[in-house]
Amino acid sequence: MLFHDPILSLHSDQHEGVTTTTRERTRIHGKFLYQGDTKLWIRGVTYGTFRPNIAGDQFPSAAIVAEDFSRMSAHGFNAVRTYTVPPLWLLELALQHDLLVMVGLPWEQHITFLDDHTRASSIEEGIRQNIRNCAGHPAILGYAVGNEIPSPIVRWHGQQRVEQFLERLYGIVKAEDPEGLVTYVNYPTTEYLQLPFLDFVCFNVYLESEQTLNPYLARLQNIANERPLVLAEIGLDSMRQGEETQAEVLEWQIRAVGAAGGAGAFIFAWTDEWYRGGFEIEDWDFGLTNRSRDAKPALGAVKQAFQEFPISSSPAWPRISVVVCSYNGSRTIRDCLESLQQLDYPDYEVIIVNDGSTDNTESIAQEYPFRIISTANQGLSNARNTGLDAATGEIIAYTDDDAYADPHWLTYLAHMFLTTSHAAVGGPNLPPKDDGWVAECVAHAPGGPIHVLLNDQLAEHIPGCNMAFRKHCLASIGGFDPQYRAAGDDVDICWRLQDKGWTIGFHATAQVWHHRRNSILTYWKQQRGYGRAEAMLEQKWPRKYNVAGHVSWEGRLYGKGTAHAGLGKTNRVYQGVWGNAPFQLMYQANPSMALTILSMPEWNVAIVALACLSLGGFMWSPLLLAVPLFLAAIGTTIFLALRRARQSSFETPQTSYHRLRSQLVTAGLHILQPIARLTGRFCSGLTPWRTKGTTRWILPCTQIFTAWSETWESLPTRLERLEGTMLEQRLAVYRGGDYDQWDLQVKSGVWGGSRLQMVIEEHGAQKQLIRCRTWPTFSKVGLAFAATLGLLGFFALADQAWVVGTILTTSSLLLGWQAQQEYSSSVLAVQNGLKATVELDMIKETVSQQQETLFTEPAAVLD
């Protein structure tokens, strides 16, 4: 029975003539729960399970429940978690006492429930009937379709089958109560379950150390991703630990959940009375009250902690300057400024930098009580530096004019600055749900603003729409680099801070909402601009890029459109011996080499090459053999794009037609994005499309160079310095591994390079003779490709296909020439680098001896 009437009377034996009141259903918005426009923090407690009475009722009498609910409400609780479906009179009592109920849907999850089809069907039908008994009631917070399926059962059935079964239960609940929220209560032993369909994420966690709980909460936030995280059980046994310890631990656990951005928590449990498996449990006392309902010290401690949830006020809140830079942002800046006006933070200012806008951005900004600085158009980095110079806060928080902030955005950022030494802190940026279906497709496409995490709390990169800095740290490195006018500035600033030895923090609920592009054309322009920014970054940070011109992130990328699909290695779950690990983690395997190649923008160059060979078949028929390869390459690209699009979860309610339309457009964006990036890279000269040739020809054989030094240094130090000088020349330099006989490998392009080995002769009195041996290394794929083109050209010429033969032969020779040039460049780089390191030795010796005579023999001899 659905409760859609605003006023509804319910009747029961215990509870006659109770009248409901209207209440908006709980909804999800980003990583938080809401009732209407008000954010809902779950301050909850678990209730039950209790010994059934003679009639089979699984709850105490209405009088006892009413007394319990009254005391809960008086102590600041606003939610109750039950493990069985409550009767309607209990829901009415909850509504009277302003309590929400998270309804547990019990079923036989502790047995091998999927081995018997009849049992599985019975579970599904039981869930359906239970939902019908209470669907739509305004006291319902949500439904839990399961609670801690034992890890041996999951291991027995297999991860995927359990996930699919839970998704079926989710669908049943949604069919019976479409507006009801659905979750599954997981626990660390099966945290690897992938359940992206859930509305919010729940975990039972019993960790009694702050040093253990805090990082685990950060991990759970990243597992929850863009959904709210609720701790469905936290607690401590007062029988073993003592009532005072129970109070102390519960207090800091609640504070930890709030600081980590949790949407709330349920304390286990209201009373020590606990019935399970047909028995009264008498050797554990987890209750806030004892079996006689007398309060323990924990009840008062929990009340105090929940009153200050999520984060207690602090007299030391730092002043924060929020900087918004805008160039013609009139379409979205109003939403941004409205959100900044509603921030729940005690001490902040907003500075709007109008970077030469030609629309009505400035007039819109003037409607708000914020400081406005108008300048000529100088680009994004200069605008951000203008905001930095004008800021009066010790923290500078940046967001974009097409983003709007969560009310507690600054609170979470500030709390992390207060509790860590990070130089910068960032958070997620989520796409709004009301931007239209094209924007939603763009949100699921690659290339969006994402964060890169080294671990659950430490970031390698935070996007520019949500980043904050200690002002003195930002100022000490000179602010943002002005050369980045539209993109790339956030990547550059993160790398510069980390080069200084500072760290960047990440808080999963310091969130902003960031509008995505709402047309394919603007998406193309954005991605092409990102390609140009990558080229600029590679010029400045060559060591961050591999030989193909792709950034080598050390951390993991988070965001929609980043997941690989198909042809990848299977993720592995750490289960421990015999499946006994208490924390069973999923480790995401690196994508296979095939998938990496297929995901590279340069894969499109290979497709074009195959297309050219296929077209050449009209002039020389043997080249028609390239047609199936071309078709296979195109087919694989389309297949992967469609597969990734199919894995996207579109939140906008859609018919089958609209869903198919969204998937096809998203697939097209997956194909379009690398082409746009490649266009930007090519136009800006990103490796390998940048010429790094040399006019000298060096024979591809072993070369030995020597250099004399009057200053002693260890072999590793000299190699590090040599490596640094070559990185400054924008070359790709790789270190040899544990089993390699070479020390460094130098590449100036895709096709050719050299390897280096160094030895130092000791000549006494701090004098050293440095010997370097280099030998060539060429791309096996490149050599094979060049040889193939050469053979095809030879046969084409022999077959009198003069045009095709000439093109193929010339292409083969050009590839060989390019490889040789790249090899020669790398050898010259080694020579110049070795000379530069010795000259640095001379400078240091000159300073230390204060103009004394330096050498009794030549300072540096290069052969």
Side-chain angles (χ1 to χ4, degrees):
M1 175 171 107
L2 291 174
F3 295 82
H4 294 305
D5 297 330
I7 302 295
L8 180 66
S9 295
L10 297 176
H11 303 277
S12 71
D13 291 337
Q14 297 102 326
H15 221 69
E16 293 282 343
V18 176
T19 303
T20 64
T21 57
T22 58
R23 176 194 275 172
E24 293 189 70
R25 298 294 297 274
T26 306
R27 62 182 179 89
I28 303 294
H29 186 53
K31 291 188 69 65
F32 298 104
L33 299 166
Y34 277 78
Q35 278 192 315
D37 295 328
T38 304
K39 189 175 288 186
L40 173 66
W41 305 107
I42 300 300
R43 301 176 173 94
V45 64
T46 67
Y47 197 58
T49 53
F50 301 101
R51 177 186 288 276
N53 60 22
I54 298 176
D57 298 330
Q58 297 177 309
F59 291 91
S61 67
I64 294 177
V65 172
E67 175 63 22
D68 286 340
F69 282 6
S70 176
R71 294 180 67 192
M72 290 177 191
S73 182
H75 282 82
F77 292 100
N78 63 5
V80 176
R81 179 190 173 192
T82 66
Y83 296 89
T84 56
V85 180
L88 297 181
W89 62 261
L90 188 144
L91 293 176
E92 284 299 313
L93 284 173
L95 194 60
Q96 288 181 24
H97 292 92
D98 205 23
L99 295 173
L100 292 166
V101 181
M102 188 166 88
V103 178
L105 302 173
W107 48 275
E108 305 93 321
Q109 57 198 21
H110 291 77
I111 61 177
T112 55
F113 50 88
L114 292 179
D115 283 352
D116 184 345
H117 176 72
T118 302
R119 185 185 301 277
S121 299
S122 175
I123 292 171
E124 295 176 15
E125 184 58 30
I127 294 289
R128 185 175 289 107
Q129 292 299 325
N130 278 327
I131 295 296
R132 287 175 179 173
N133 290 334
C134 58
H137 195 285
I140 291 178
L141 168 66
Y143 305 94
V145 294
N147 178 68
E148 292 190 5
I149 299 176
S151 58
I153 300 297
V154 176
R155 193 166 181 251
W156 175 264
H157 289 312
Q159 173 186 345
Q160 189 173 13
R161 290 185 66 199
V162 173
E163 292 167 352
Q164 292 171 347
F165 183 73
L166 290 174
E167 187 168 12
R168 291 206 301 273
L169 298 185
Y170 170 88
I172 291 171
V173 176
K174 285 295 186 180
E176 298 297 330
D177 190 357
E179 295 183 359
L181 301 180
V182 184
T183 189
Y184 165 76
V185 181
N186 208 342
Y187 71 130
T189 313
T190 57
E191 73 165 41
Y192 55 83
L193 289 174
Q194 302 292 295
L195 308 172
F197 48 85
L198 297 176
D199 296 315
F200 62 104
V201 175
C202 281
F203 268 80
N204 295 336
V205 178
Y206 291 88
L207 294 174
E208 300 172 13
S209 163
E210 290 187 72
Q211 291 71 27
T212 305
L213 180 61
N214 287 331
Y216 192 66
L217 289 173
R219 175 176 179 80
L220 292 182
Q221 283 286 18
N222 287 321
I223 290 174
N225 197 7
E226 296 181 359
R227 297 167 295 172
L229 171 68
V230 175
L231 273 292
E233 285 181 12
I234 57 175
L236 192 73
D237 177 19
S238 64
M239 178 180 290
R240 291 167 178 79
Q241 304 293 336
E243 292 186 356
E244 294 298 331
T245 301
Q246 181 195 35
E248 178 185 340
V249 170
L250 285 177
E251 185 173 9
W252 68 251
Q253 285 182 335
I254 292 171
R255 298 187 190 282
V257 173
F266 289 90
I267 307 301
F268 184 82
W270 173 249
T271 173
D272 288 339
E273 183 182 350
W274 187 20
Y275 180 85
R276 183 178 180 185
F279 300 95
E280 293 281 358
I281 306 301
E282 297 181 348
D283 61 343
W284 279 356
D285 289 343
F286 278 84
L288 299 177
T289 65
N290 61 28
R291 288 169 178 80
S292 300
R293 299 302 202 270
D294 296 324
K296 299 180 186 178
L299 183 59
V302 167
K303 177 182 179 181
Q304 178 65 32
F306 270 145
Q307 284 177 343
E308 299 176 353
F309 196 87
I311 297 177
S312 60
S313 60
S314 168
W317 287 119
R319 179 168 174 79
I320 299 181
S321 297
V322 179
V323 177
V324 181
C325 303
S326 183
Y327 173 69
N328 291 341
S330 60
R331 188 177 66 87
T332 56
I333 195 171
R334 189 181 299 277
D335 287 344
C336 174
L337 301 183
E338 285 286 347
S339 72
L340 298 181
Q341 199 170 20
Q342 298 171 18
L343 290 175
D344 185 7
Y345 191 77
D347 187 11
Y348 74 100
E349 65 174 346
V350 176
I351 301 171
I352 304 165
V353 181
N354 176 30
D355 187 32
S357 297
T358 57
D359 61 3
N360 62 335
T361 294
E362 185 172 10
S363 62
I364 294 174
Q366 289 172 346
E367 299 175 17
Y368 296 88
F370 302 143
R371 183 179 178 186
I372 303 171
I373 302 175
S374 293
T375 66
N377 181 251
Q378 303 177 78
L380 181 56
S381 288
N382 270 313
R384 285 182 166 156
N385 287 336
T386 299
L388 170 64
D389 294 338
T392 62
E394 56 188 284
I395 303 296
I396 315 294
Y398 290 92
T399 191
D400 291 345
D401 61 3
D402 59 350
Y404 57 92
D406 179 84
H408 295 89
W409 173 50
L410 294 185
T411 303
Y412 288 118
L413 291 176
H415 184 268
M416 181 159 272
F417 277 116
L418 286 173
T419 55
T420 69
S421 59
H422 298 312
V425 175
N429 65 99
L430 311 181
K433 296 181 180 180
D434 54 357
D435 278 356
W437 71 274
V438 174
E440 187 175 18
C441 293
V442 170
H444 286 88
I450 59 175
H451 49 275
V452 183
L453 300 187
L454 297 168
N455 58 41
D456 294 309
Q457 297 173 294
L458 200 62
E460 182 179 3
H461 165 65
I462 49 178
C465 59
N466 188 359
M467 58 183 182
F469 306 88
R470 298 186 192 274
K471 184 178 180 180
H472 71 88
C473 293
L474 195 55
S476 70
I477 60 172
F480 293 86
D481 189 336
Q483 70 171 310
Y484 301 104
R485 294 185 56 86
D489 59 309
D490 50 357
V491 178
D492 174 71
I493 203 73
C494 289
W495 286 343
R496 287 163 61 200
L497 288 172
Q498 291 169 94
D499 251 17
K500 281 279 192 178
W502 289 321
T503 57
I504 301 171
F506 179 80
H507 198 294
T509 46
Q511 67 182 26
V512 301
W513 303 89
H514 189 206
H515 295 285
R516 301 312 196 245
R517 299 299 188 266
N518 60 0
S519 75
I520 296 176
L521 178 60
T522 54
Y523 176 72
W524 166 271
K525 292 179 179 179
Q526 178 198 47
Q527 296 305 311
R528 190 176 61 184
Y530 285 170
R532 288 194 294 267
E534 285 178 322
M536 296 168 64
L537 285 165
E538 193 269 350
Q539 293 182 41
K540 185 175 181 179
W541 299 91
R543 67 179 183 275
K544 296 287 188 179
Y545 287 75
N546 60 26
V547 68
H550 299 283
V551 62
S552 300
W553 295 111
E554 296 179 18
R556 177 185 169 190
L557 280 64
Y558 285 80
K560 293 180 179 178
T562 61
H564 293 291
L567 303 183
K569 298 179 181 177
T570 303
N571 294 333
R572 296 193 304 167
V573 175
Y574 170 73
Q575 298 181 345
V577 177
W578 299 340
N580 283 328
F583 290 79
Q584 299 194 8
L585 319 178
M586 175 175 285
Y587 292 92
Q588 291 195 335
N590 292 326
S592 65
M593 181 60 70
L595 183 59
T596 300
I597 293 173
L598 294 174
S599 301
M600 293 171 60
E602 287 73 23
W603 171 246
N604 294 280
V605 176
I607 292 178
V608 172
L610 289 172
C612 292
L613 290 175
S614 300
L615 291 173
F618 292 102
M619 292 182 286
W620 187 47
S621 58
L623 288 183
L624 290 175
L625 294 173
V627 172
L629 294 177
F630 169 71
L631 294 177
I634 288 288
T636 301
T637 300
I638 295 175
F639 167 76
L640 288 176
L642 289 172
R643 184 176 176 86
R644 289 165 178 161
R646 186 175 177 82
Q647 291 177 340
S648 301
S649 55
F650 298 99
E651 298 178 0
T652 303
Q654 295 176 322
T655 63
S656 297
Y657 163 74
H658 291 103
R659 187 178 302 107
L660 177 62
R661 179 186 65 178
S662 295
Q663 289 176 345
L664 290 176
V665 170
T666 302
L669 295 176
H670 274 277
I671 297 173
L672 184 69
Q673 189 266 350
I675 298 175
R677 285 288 180 98
L678 185 62
T679 302
R681 293 178 178 189
F682 182 82
C683 294
S684 301
L686 180 70
T687 299
W689 317 112
R690 181 184 297 122
T691 302
K692 295 181 182 177
T694 175
T695 56
R696 287 188 55 184
W697 176 281
I698 298 178
L699 192 66
C701 62
T702 300
Q703 308 278 337
I704 297 179
F705 311 102
T706 61
W708 180 264
S709 175
E710 299 277 335
T711 303
W712 186 92
E713 277 190 341
S714 67
L715 178 64
T717 300
R718 290 202 179 275
L719 284 169
E720 287 178 0
R721 292 176 57 198
L722 179 59
E723 177 188 44
T725 60
M726 290 186 290
L727 286 173
E728 291 173 359
Q729 299 175 58
R730 292 162 42 197
L731 299 170
V733 184
Y734 308 93
R735 295 186 176 188
D738 294 334
Y739 301 96
D740 294 319
Q741 288 190 305
W742 50 273
D743 299 318
L744 296 173
Q745 178 171 320
V746 187
K747 301 193 78 174
S748 62
V750 174
W751 310 109
S754 61
R755 287 177 176 169
L756 172 150
Q757 185 184 50
M758 179 184 288
V759 68
I760 296 178
E761 295 180 3
E762 304 291 349
H763 287 262
Q766 305 293 311
K767 300 177 181 179
Q768 295 178 317
L769 183 65
I770 306 154
R771 296 184 182 274
C772 288
R773 177 192 292 128
T774 65
W775 61 94
T777 176
F778 296 102
S779 165
K780 295 181 176 61
V781 174
L783 290 177
F785 185 53
T788 301
L789 291 178
L791 284 173
L792 289 173
F794 172 78
F795 288 122
L797 292 173
D799 208 17
Q800 298 184 356
W802 305 113
V803 175
V804 174
T806 300
I807 293 175
L808 291 173
T809 304
T810 302
S811 299
S812 174
L813 293 174
L814 287 175
L815 283 176
W817 174 263
Q818 179 65 22
Q820 171 61 30
Q821 287 290 93
E822 291 173 2
Y823 160 72
S824 300
S825 293
S826 68
V827 174
L828 284 177
V830 172
Q831 292 185 28
N832 294 332
L834 184 61
K835 182 178 180 181
T837 58
V838 174
E839 287 177 345
L840 286 174
D841 289 340
M842 294 165 55
I843 293 172
K844 289 198 300 187
E845 190 71 8
T846 301
V847 172
S848 63
Q849 295 192 10
Q850 298 182 356
Q851 311 300 329
E852 293 182 11
T853 302
L854 288 177
F855 304 108
T856 58
E857 53 186 294
V861 180
L862 252 74
D863 300 326

